Amino acid sequence: MKEFYYKKGNLFAEEVKIKDVANHIKTPFYVYSKLAMERRFDQLKNSLGALRHRIFYSVKANSNVSVLKVFGSLGSGMDVVSLGEYDRAKAAGIAGKDIVFSGVGKTKYEIQSVIIGGIRQFNIESEPELNLINQVATEMDKVIDVSVRVNPEVDAKTHRKITTGTKSDKFGVSFENVKMMFEKGTEMKGVSFVGLDMHIGSQISTLNAFRLSFSRLRKMTLELKRSGYALSRLDVGGGIGIEHNLNGDSSIPIDSYSALLKDYFDDLDCEIELEPGRSLVGNAGILVASVIYPKLGDENNFLIIDAAMNDFLRPALYDARHQLLAVKKSSKKENGLFDIVGPVCESSDTFERSVNLPPMQSGDLVAFSSAGAYGAVMASEYNTRPLIPEVLVSDSLYAIIRERPSISEIIRRDKIPEWL
Ligand SMILES: *Cc1c(COP(=O)(O)O)cnc(C)c1O
């Protein structure tokens, strides 16, 4: 069975007709295919073969508890970057020992909370953070596993807003500092140094950046081992890019990525930890919206839809282009160039420019492909637009996995002080 496809001109997710969902749930909303997630996870898992590894799905790509549950049932651990994400993973039934905690700004409260709840390892991003984790763990009479996130100084050649592995980025520490931290670590009572960690960026579309950073990680591992440190885990992060189209693949063949991992790390006697996000969920989701009005202008024509930048930020934030699809294919010919825009009062609320479209009218359903990652999770309530629903499809079943809040619920969160 295909994940997303057309049957008699109608868009389907698995066995569910998108039009039927839209008859019951007000647009805009996200639709995810469980099968698409499972297939991508299995593909990665199978390609890794005999390499000793663990997959930790990167929660920030799509943190809906049902999505986490899908990956958890496949045996995935979770990579989290906040206490909120940690609690979501727990709510999806993931045990603390299957969660790694990354990110540059872990607070004392977060560190204490996840030590109480259980954690597999912290990926350490700075010396002050190492000191704090050691202090907190010592006070609690615990020894916590830590890996140090090394900055491999590799430019992933992706959008500058999602590059994380160059010298000027806020992430990770230089190899010189890594060595110094390992040395200090031998004196620390609250932490046990288990390995190195790395994540060079997201939506990476060539193997070369990975090749370069893996080769550096290997070199550093060997050097630390020669100095007598027993490394047992290497976390290679995520970052594999995807093609933006219906059922799109990863932009790097998964087999080649896994072959590279085996080439560089198979003989090091370390467990390889992976933190994929986008490559597992990006093409497992679409965003469904309705046309509000076509607006014919002197210079430009606009198709104004009911989804906007607050619902799906990637086009505005990263200049990302997501393919616009008709939910029911038109038999009419394309007859004009349209800019696809939302109702938010910002010019950057533009999804695509100059798309040749058949005539469309109010109420027609459209969808954006490849909206499963960094879509719903980045949404805001700008313009007091409620967060939109998320729908999970499995075979011929579908269910709302996050409801749209009412406007009164949103307004009720505001408080008017009695002196006002
Ligand atoms: C965002 C992130 C990931 C996941 O990146 P993708 O590009 O979605 O695969 C993995 N690890 C860390 C530390 C991250 O910050």
Side-chain angles (χ1 to χ4, degrees), residues 13-26:
E14 303 192 22
E15 295 295 310
V16 174
K17 196 170 168 183
I18 299 299
K19 175 84 172 61
D20 291 342
V21 182
N23 286 340
H24 292 98
I25 303 168
K26 202 161 106 48

Side-chain angles (χ1 to χ4, degrees), residues 149-168:
R149 177 161 174 185
V150 58
N151 184 333
E153 292 167 26
V154 168
D155 184 355
K157 301 270 187 261
T158 180
H159 192 282
R160 71 181 167 78
K161 287 182 184 166
I162 43 178
T163 294
T164 58
T166 70
K167 229 176 175 160
S168 57

Side-chain angles (χ1 to χ4, degrees), residues 56 58-61 79 81 102-103 123 125 149 164 171 197-199 201-204 235-241 274-280 373-374:
F56 297 87
S58 177
V59 171
K60 75 176 195 284
D79 168 46
V81 295
S102 306
N123 290 333
E125 300 245 10
R149 177 161 174 185
T164 58
F171 301 97
D197 161 53
M198 193 184 79
H199 172 72
S202 198
Q203 185 59 353
I204 297 168
D235 186 332
V236 296
I240 300 171
L274 297 91
E275 301 171 347
R278 189 191 309 271
S279 56
L280 297 184
Y374 305 104

Side-chain angles (χ1 to χ4, degrees), residues 54 56 58 60 78-81 99-106 120-126 129 133 145-154 164-165 170-175 177-179 181-182 192-201 210 213-214 216-218 220-221 224 231-239 257 261 265 268 270-276:
R54 270 303 304 265
F56 297 87
S58 177
K60 75 176 195 284
M78 302 282 143
D79 168 46
V80 305
V81 295
I99 303 175
V100 301
F101 198 148
S102 306
V104 296
K106 305 173 193 81
R120 172 182 163 97
Q121 90 195 29
F122 284 103
N123 290 333
I124 305 252
E125 300 245 10
S126 67
E129 182 184 84
I133 291 173
D145 288 345
V146 300
S147 280
V148 183
R149 177 161 174 185
V150 58
N151 184 333
E153 292 167 26
V154 168
T164 58
K170 68 177 175 184
F171 301 97
V173 295
S174 70
F175 187 50
N177 283 332
V178 170
K179 279 194 289 194
M181 283 160 80
F182 266 78
S192 165
F193 279 57
V194 294
L196 291 175
D197 161 53
M198 193 184 79
H199 172 72
I200 58 172
F210 286 117
S213 55
F214 290 173
R216 294 202 177 144
L217 189 64
R218 176 183 175 83
M220 294 173 198
T221 306
L224 285 168
L231 279 70
S232 57
R233 299 177 194 163
L234 288 179
D235 186 332
V236 296
Y257 176 83
L261 283 176
F265 304 122
L268 292 184
C270 284
E271 183 174 28
I272 304 305
E273 300 172 319
L274 297 91
E275 301 171 347

